[in-house]
Amino acid sequence: MTEKRITSLLFIILALWLKSYGQDFSEAVSNFIDNNGIKPESVAVKVIDLSDGKTIASHNTSSPLVPASIMKSVTTAALLDKTGIDFCYNTPVYIDGPLDMGILRGNLIVEGACDPSLNSTNEPGSTDIISEIIDALRKAGINRIEGDIIIDESDFSGPARPASWMPADFSQSYGTGSHAFNFEDNSSGKRSVENPGYIFKTRLKSRLRNEGISVEAKDLGEGKREKLMNHISAPIDEIMRSCMMRSDNLFAESMLRTYGKLDGGDGSTEDAASRELKLWKKKKMPLDDVVIIDGSGLSRSNRVTADFMGEVLSNMSGNPNYASFFPLAGQEGTLRRFLEDTPLDSYIAMKTGSMKGIQCYAGYKLDENYVPTHVVVIIMNDITGSRDKAKKAAEKMLLDIFDAHTEPEDPQNDE
């Protein structure tokens, strides 16, 4: 090979090396930031190569911004860290009086466990708790309840919604509250149900009446409880996957409250958020200016940084289940149209977040085995232009980064 050919090949190798390790990433980010309708100070980008933990693309990574629904990925991470994938919600049902010739001289008591999937119409759904109660009463030989049906929600204190939620959202199904006892998604069609326990009691009494089991509803006070049955939910990983795929606010809020309760708290959203922050502090996450108000991201008072999101996702990347909760680009959930029919179709898995003027993404670049290779965080606040244009700009940046971040091929020796 001639000296000139060797020199040329060395320049090619050097150019490819520089391209692979960062030369074009700043340009890709700059092109994204320069997109019309995106304010540079209100945008953050962070891409981390998980093979060595190095940040390969970044912008504004320490600025606190509104995360919208990418907050669900943080909530899910905290609860998964606490429970593992085998945890199930248990909703116990008790009787608190003696049986006398088929008559329960006491109450039927259902203890709320904050299970968001109880009789849900969404995946993973659940077995019908009303049918289970009727079967259990039949098995116990009970055909009359002298007392009443009581919903005990005392294990989870505090309001159903954070104070910072917008009142205009309350009537909508996406703005429904998380209660100690949730039932049928706490909604009717697209409308929120404010008292799911009342709906449950009405349905149960009607079904009992149809089955020939009467409820006299006498005020007998409460006695010593004896367990009648226990309703068990689907495993928590199925609930988490459903939450992330559909961006379900009720599921996320209930998971945050569940985290707090399992951590020894009172089950309120405020206490649970405080405990979650302590978890991330213990794991040495960068928490400067991070504010966690809720589990779903519906509050505009939440604040995260790209640094914080990047470290949470990096920390969870070794969990074999966590990444599977995120929708695949071009294929699933809220990411179904993003990067569709591009080289990154099915190779990006991210949670989306959107509100008026806000569009966010957080998740992973995957390899052919769906194993995370990179963390990806994109947070856009104060969008003044078209949301579609902002999405397209984010798509182009990812395509530019991951098209560039490949190992250079060996030059062919054509001597």
Side-chain angles (χ1 to χ4, degrees), residues 349-401:
M350 294 194 297
K351 181 72 194 76
T352 61
S354 60
M355 290 177 165
K356 185 177 180 181
I358 295 171
Q359 186 66 41
C360 306
Y361 302 94
Y364 300 102
K365 164 73 168 59
L366 308 174
D367 65 14
E368 291 79 3
N369 297 313
Y370 298 100
V371 174
T373 62
H374 296 76
V375 166
V376 177
V377 179
I378 304 170
I379 304 174
M380 294 179 273
N381 285 190
D382 302 324
I383 298 172
T384 58
S386 161
R387 182 183 301 273
D388 286 341
K389 188 173 182 180
K391 289 180 179 180
K392 291 295 183 185
E395 285 181 307
K396 185 178 186 307
M397 178 178 64
L398 292 177
L399 287 165
D400 288 346
I401 289 173

Side-chain angles (χ1 to χ4, degrees), residues 188-207:
S188 176
K190 294 185 178 181
R191 308 299 291 178
S192 170
V193 167
E194 292 301 307
N195 190 344
Y198 174 79
I199 300 297
F200 167 76
K201 285 175 65 172
T202 301
R203 298 269 180 84
L204 177 57
K205 285 183 176 181
S206 176
R207 290 273 299 276

Side-chain angles (χ1 to χ4, degrees), residues 21-270:
Y21 288 93
Q23 180 178 341
D24 286 354
F25 303 145
S26 59
E27 183 179 351
V29 174
S30 295
N31 289 339
F32 167 67
I33 299 302
D34 290 342
N35 176 64
N36 187 31
I38 301 176
K39 297 180 180 179
E41 67 274 16
S42 299
V43 175
V45 175
K46 186 156 190 169
V47 180
I48 303 171
D49 187 335
L50 289 170
S51 68
D52 55 16
K54 292 182 179 178
T55 298
I56 64 169
S58 66
H59 171 78
N60 209 22
T61 61
S62 62
S63 291
L65 298 169
V66 181
S69 280
I70 64 171
M71 182 59 75
K72 292 180 175 72
S73 61
V74 179
T75 304
T76 302
L79 185 57
L80 185 62
D81 181 80
K82 174 69 70 176
T83 65
I85 63 170
D86 296 326
F87 171 83
C88 296
Y89 284 96
N90 286 261
T91 302
V93 180
Y94 301 94
I95 55 176
D96 71 349
L99 300 182
D100 181 13
M101 302 293 291
I103 301 172
L104 169 61
R105 301 199 181 278
N107 305 292
L108 181 74
I109 302 170
V110 182
E111 188 177 286
C114 209
D115 178 0
S117 68
L118 196 63
N119 278 50
S120 174
T121 59
N122 296 301
E123 294 293 338
S126 75
T127 52
D128 179 19
I129 189 173
I130 292 178
S131 295
E132 291 174 339
I133 291 173
I134 292 171
D135 290 344
L137 290 170
R138 287 287 187 210
K139 187 176 181 180
I142 297 171
N143 52 48
R144 191 166 89 196
I145 300 171
E146 194 173 45
D148 205 352
I149 297 171
I150 297 173
I151 309 297
D152 179 0
E153 300 194 71
S154 61
D155 268 359
F156 291 80
S157 65
R161 299 182 182 91
S164 59
W165 279 18
M166 302 289 288
D169 294 330
F170 291 0
S171 64
Q172 305 300 312
S173 59
Y174 66 81
T176 194
S178 167
H179 301 259
F181 184 84
N182 303 299
F183 183 69
E184 292 182 350
D185 305 302
N186 299 351
S187 63
S188 176
K190 294 185 178 181
R191 308 299 291 178
S192 170
V193 167
E194 292 301 307
N195 190 344
Y198 174 79
I199 300 297
F200 167 76
K201 285 175 65 172
T202 301
R203 298 269 180 84
L204 177 57
K205 285 183 176 181
S206 176
R207 290 273 299 276
L208 289 171
R209 187 165 53 249
N210 291 341
E211 294 290 332
I213 301 174
S214 61
V215 180
E216 297 183 10
K218 292 181 180 179
D219 185 2
L220 302 178
E222 290 192 43
K224 184 178 179 180
R225 295 181 181 184
E226 176 185 347
K227 186 174 285 188
L228 177 71
M229 56 150 286
N230 193 40
H231 173 85
I232 303 174
S233 76
I236 194 66
D237 65 322
E238 296 183 27
I239 293 172
M240 290 174 171
R241 187 169 292 107
S242 178
C243 173
M244 294 282 281
M245 289 289 172
R246 298 181 298 103
S247 200
D248 190 297
N249 292 336
L250 170 61
F251 277 36
E253 293 304 321
S254 298
M255 286 195 294
L256 176 61
R257 298 184 74 180
T258 301
Y259 173 82
K261 190 66 181 179
L262 293 175
D263 196 53
D266 62 12
S268 67
T269 301
E270 184 177 5

